[in-house]
């Protein structure tokens, strides 16, 4: 039986689209992708500037990030199914429209409640964009050039988060924090208009909407509860808090009900939310395990920690922090495209193995050298290998994972971005917990080892200087505060080194999945080798 005309056109889109149109499609898709992912990190550096205008504290302002991630993650699985009804191009245009409108209202928000609502809507817009952008590129590029396409896409996925602190710092220092949202409006409107013109409207449009609302309800509740638990765990004291325990309970129960609902639907031949056949493809399932640990537990941790290192430990401004993160960000962009081109010429698995060793060396031996005494220029040099490694990672992994998916490619892309949100939330929570715990431990250890006679001598030696400007009581307090600050900086310095070192552990865990992928791919070669051995040997 022949496929419907829309599916036939989608399958051979790369033959229909001309090379010139392919360039315009790539530009349009990448602008939307870059804007959506940039907004996940650009907000991080301007949160302190938002607190006063929105009349909230540090813990309240964290919901600006949390609400965005929750909305984007929970909407992804719905959008993946919905995109089959309206097509990938209209899904992308819808996402851009939602994102631009929400950006305008985020910039105009006057209260925390308004900001949370509009950021949630903005996150839904990102889900629409990310659920189909990568699939569009894969469909319009011929199979022999899909590595290049994914390299270009990796430029947005990897380069945009790294560039966020630089752009955010520049806008904050020279304009106003509201402009990180306002700037999306004119660029977004132009991209919506160009997308209407250049994107093929037949892509993925099969006018079918099979959706399991019960399963979606359970997985949405589980995702929301899990992300709230991970984002608020450190603030609430993790499992010393009844609120966190309730979140964990809701997460476990909801995920259990989700799997039960999917199993029931499978047994009774009803629509499942996810086509579970995708996990029977070992290249995809084990690649997602590698993606989860390397991207979420390693790269997200490092990108979360680096701005804190530069600002809180090195004392740089937001814009200076962005400038120091710009060189590795540029390397990410260069090596994303380079790795994509190489993925078309040699096995992506070979590139991944080389990159894994490179990342292991960076996390175990290079990053732990970053401390308070590291000159800023040297810190930039030490982060350059990470930029190379991150740039190389995405394209070969995606090329390898997606190559056998066929009609499941859209689902594979949606699940990959869902995993990105979950992994990133886990990585950020682990980094926060490690940094806080190690800082407190080292600070207490410094106090335990102090020679109190020397401490007293140090405090009173500074009083003579401070008494020239302040009364004795104030000078005494300031002298003690100075000692406290020095001890805190030393504790924080050691804590960063220990936290960076612990990231290497997750590289090793990711290496387990990479090893399994190697075994699976080398198995046929071993069989052929064994069969070629003469029987008399």
């Amino acid at each position: 039986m022949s496929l419907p005309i829309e599916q036939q056109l989608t399958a051979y889109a790369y033959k229909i689209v001309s090379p010139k149109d392919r360039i315009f499609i790539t530009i349009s898709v990448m602008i939307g992708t870059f804007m959506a992912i940039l907004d996940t990190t650009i907000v991080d550096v301007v949160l302190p500037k938002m607190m006063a205008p929105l009349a909230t504290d540090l813990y309240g302002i964290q919901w600006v990030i949390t609400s965005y991630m929750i909305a984007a993650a929970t909407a992804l699985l719905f959008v993946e199914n919905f995109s089959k009804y309206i097509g990938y191009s209209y899904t992308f245009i819808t996402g851009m429209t939602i994102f631009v409108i929400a950006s305008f209202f985020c910039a105009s928000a006057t209260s925390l409640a308004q900001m949370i609502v509009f950021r949630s809507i903005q996150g839904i817009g990102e889900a629409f964009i990310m659920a189909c952008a990568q699939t569009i590129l894969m469909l319009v590029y011929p199979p022999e050039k899909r590595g290049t396409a994914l390299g270009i896409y990796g430029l947005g996925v990897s380069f945009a988060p790294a560039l966020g602190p630089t752009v955010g710092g520049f806008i904050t220092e020279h304009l106003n924090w509201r402009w990180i949202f306002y700037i999306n409006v004119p660029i977004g409107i132009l991209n919506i208009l160009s997308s209407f013109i250049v994107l093929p409207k037949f892509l993925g449009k099969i006018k079918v909407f099979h959706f399991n609302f019960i399963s979606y309800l359970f997985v949405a509740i589980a995702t929301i509860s899990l992300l709230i638990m991970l984002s608020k765990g450190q603030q609430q004291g993790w499992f010393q808090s009844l609120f966190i325990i309730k979140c964990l309970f809701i997460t476990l129960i909801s995920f259990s009900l989700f799997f039960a609902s999917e199993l029931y639907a499978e047994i009774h031949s009803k629509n499942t939310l996810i086509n579970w056949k995708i996990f029977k493809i070992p290249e995809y399932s084990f690649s997602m395990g590698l993606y989860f640990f390397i991207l979420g537990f390693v790269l997200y941790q490092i990108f979360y920690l680096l701005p804190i290192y530069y600002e809180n430990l090195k004392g740089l401004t937001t814009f200076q922090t962005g400038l120091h993160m710009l060189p590795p960000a540029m390397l990410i962009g260069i090596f994303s495209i380079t790795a994509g081109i190489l993925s078309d010429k040699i096995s992506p698995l070979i590139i991944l193995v080389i990159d894994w060793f490179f990342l292991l060396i960076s996390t175990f031996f290079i990053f732990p050298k970053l401390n308070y005494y590291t000159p800023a220029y040297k810190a930039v040099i030490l982060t350059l290998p990470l930029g190379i490694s991150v740039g190389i990672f995405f394209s070969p992994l995606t090329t390898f994972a997606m190559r056998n998916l066929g009609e499941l490619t859209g689902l594979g892309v949606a699940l990959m971005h869902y995993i990105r949100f979950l992994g990133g939330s886990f990585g950020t929570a682990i980094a926060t917990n490690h940094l806080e715990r190690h800082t407190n431990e080292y600070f207490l250890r410094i106090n335990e080892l102090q020679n109190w006679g020397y401490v007293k001598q140090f405090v009173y030696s500074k009083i003579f200087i401070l008494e020239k400007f302040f009364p004795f009581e104030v000078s005494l307090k300031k002298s003690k505060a100075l000692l406290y600050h020095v001890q805190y900086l030393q504790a924080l310095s050691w804590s960063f080194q220990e936290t960076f070192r612990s990231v290497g552990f997750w590289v090793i865990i990711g290496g387990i999945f990479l090893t399994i992928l190697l075994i699976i791919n080398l198995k046929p070669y071993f069989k052929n080798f064994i069969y070629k051995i003469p029987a008399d040997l």
Side-chain angles (χ1 to χ4, degrees):
M1 187 173 66
S2 61
L3 293 171
I5 185 64
E6 291 86 356
Q7 287 182 262
Q8 292 183 43
L9 290 172
T10 299
Y12 296 100
Y14 64 90
K15 293 183 178 179
I16 300 170
V17 175
S18 67
K20 183 180 177 181
D21 289 339
R22 193 176 294 134
I23 293 172
F24 287 115
I25 292 169
T26 303
I27 293 171
S28 183
V29 169
M30 286 312 303
I31 289 173
T33 302
F34 198 86
M35 287 173 60
I37 297 183
L38 187 68
D39 255 48
T40 60
T41 57
I42 194 174
V43 175
D44 293 354
V45 297
V46 300
L47 287 181
K49 302 287 192 300
M50 291 183 181
M51 287 191 288
L54 299 180
T56 185
D57 57 11
L58 184 61
Y59 292 126
I61 205 68
Q62 292 296 323
W63 281 102
V64 175
I65 298 174
T66 305
S67 60
Y68 184 89
M69 294 180 64
I70 288 173
T74 51
L76 269 169
L77 294 177
F78 167 80
V79 176
E80 190 277 326
N81 282 271
F82 185 64
S83 64
K84 296 174 184 175
Y85 184 79
I86 65 172
Y88 296 134
S89 297
Y90 285 115
T91 302
F92 180 83
I93 293 167
T94 302
M96 282 298 306
T97 305
I98 295 171
F99 188 85
V100 169
I101 293 172
S103 294
F104 176 80
F105 284 106
C106 283
S108 308
T110 56
S111 68
L112 180 63
Q114 289 180 7
M115 179 61 80
I116 290 173
V117 170
F118 298 135
R119 277 287 283 176
S120 299
I121 297 172
Q122 195 183 37
I124 294 171
E126 184 191 339
F128 272 80
I129 294 169
M130 302 308 295
C132 59
Q134 185 176 344
T135 310
I136 291 172
L137 287 183
M138 290 184 68
L139 290 172
V140 299
Y141 276 80
E144 66 273 11
K145 290 187 177 180
R146 281 177 184 164
T148 304
L150 292 172
I152 296 170
Y153 185 79
L155 177 67
V157 173
S158 305
F159 182 53
L163 193 63
T166 308
V167 178
F170 179 83
I171 292 175
T172 305
E173 193 160 306
H174 294 90
L175 295 171
N176 181 286
W177 66 265
R178 295 184 185 276
W179 279 95
I180 68 170
F181 299 112
Y182 276 134
I183 200 170
N184 290 333
V185 177
I187 299 172
I189 291 173
L190 290 174
N191 198 50
I192 291 169
L193 295 174
S194 67
S195 298
F196 264 114
I197 297 170
V198 303
L199 293 185
K201 305 304 183 292
F202 59 82
L203 286 178
K205 190 175 183 180
I206 57 177
K207 295 182 180 179
V208 173
F209 184 57
H210 297 308
F211 194 69
N212 190 318
F213 285 96
I214 296 175
S215 292
Y216 180 74
L217 176 65
F218 288 137
V219 77
I221 293 172
T223 303
I224 292 169
S225 180
L226 176 61
L227 292 181
I228 290 174
M229 182 187 78
L230 292 173
S231 62
K232 296 296 174 183
Q234 186 66 32
Q235 174 192 343
Q236 299 288 335
W238 289 106
F239 299 110
Q240 296 176 4
S241 165
L242 184 61
F243 173 75
I244 297 299
I245 293 174
K246 288 179 179 178
C247 285
L248 177 62
F249 179 76
I250 293 171
T251 300
L252 294 176
I253 292 297
S254 298
F255 270 127
S256 299
L257 292 172
F258 163 68
F259 287 119
S261 173
E262 290 288 275
L263 183 62
Y264 177 85
E266 186 72 33
I267 292 172
H268 291 82
S269 301
K270 296 183 178 181
N271 295 323
T272 56
L273 182 65
I274 296 172
N275 189 338
W276 295 95
K277 291 179 181 178
I278 195 170
F279 293 106
K280 293 181 179 179
I281 303 171
E283 289 89 351
Y284 180 80
S285 53
F286 290 110
S287 291
M288 289 304 100
L290 176 63
Y291 186 76
F292 180 72
F293 283 103
I294 298 297
L295 185 74
F297 283 64
V298 177
L299 303 183
Y300 264 79
Q301 274 202 66
I302 291 174
F303 281 125
Y304 170 76
L305 289 168
L306 273 180
I308 301 174
Y309 167 79
Y310 282 123
E311 291 189 50
N312 292 10
L313 188 61
K314 299 297 293 179
L316 302 182
T317 65
T318 302
F319 184 50
Q320 288 172 335
T321 296
L323 289 178
H324 282 74
M325 293 185 67
L326 187 59
M330 293 174 67
L331 286 178
I332 290 173
I334 294 168
F335 280 88
S336 290
I337 298 175
T338 305
I341 295 170
L342 286 174
S343 297
D344 290 327
K345 300 182 182 300
I346 62 175
S347 171
L349 206 55
I350 296 174
I351 302 172
L352 281 173
V353 170
I354 295 171
D355 188 50
W356 181 84
F357 278 107
F358 202 57
L359 188 60
L360 187 69
I361 293 169
S362 297
T363 51
F364 264 117
F365 301 106
I366 297 177
F367 262 80
K369 293 181 180 180
L370 294 175
N371 57 40
Y372 175 75
Y373 306 99
T374 307
Y377 76 89
K378 187 176 180 181
V380 173
I381 294 172
L382 291 175
T383 57
L384 293 181
L386 177 75
I388 297 171
S389 184
V390 174
I392 293 172
F393 175 73
F394 183 82
S395 176
L397 177 70
T398 314
T399 303
F400 185 77
M402 303 288 176
R403 65 183 184 181
N404 294 323
L405 293 189
E407 62 181 14
L408 296 174
T409 299
L411 176 61
V413 170
L415 288 174
M416 189 170 70
H417 288 295
Y418 181 79
I419 289 169
R420 174 171 66 89
F421 280 113
L422 292 189
S425 299
F426 272 106
T428 303
I430 290 170
T432 304
N433 183 60
H434 280 187
L435 192 65
E436 290 286 335
R437 180 167 60 85
H438 289 311
T439 301
N440 292 333
E441 286 178 357
Y442 283 125
F443 189 84
L444 291 173
R445 186 60 56 87
I446 290 172
N447 282 335
E448 290 171 0
L449 298 175
Q450 286 284 12
N451 183 327
W452 288 105
Y454 177 78
V455 169
K456 188 174 180 180
Q457 179 186 350
F458 174 86
V459 169
Y460 279 94
S461 68
K462 304 305 176 188
I463 290 177
F464 292 113
I465 301 173
L466 294 170
E467 272 189 314
K468 295 177 182 179
F469 308 97
F470 306 101
F472 176 79
E473 292 80 7
V474 176
S475 299
L476 179 61
K477 290 179 181 179
K478 285 185 176 293
S479 183
K480 290 180 178 179
L482 176 63
L483 178 63
Y484 174 90
H485 184 65
V486 170
Q487 290 184 181
Y488 173 76
L489 284 178
Q490 184 61 62
L492 186 62
S493 179
W494 285 337
S495 179
F496 267 108
Q497 289 183 286
E498 195 63 38
T499 306
F500 282 134
R501 190 176 291 111
S502 66
V503 172
F505 168 77
W506 300 109
V507 179
I508 294 174
I509 297 297
I512 295 173
F513 291 92
L514 183 59
T515 303
I516 295 171
L517 288 172
L518 276 172
I519 292 171
I520 292 171
N521 275 264
L522 292 176
K523 198 173 180 181
Y525 295 102
F526 283 123
K527 282 185 177 180
N528 291 335
F529 177 75
I530 292 171
Y531 290 147
K532 287 178 181 179
I533 297 176
D536 57 351
L537 294 179

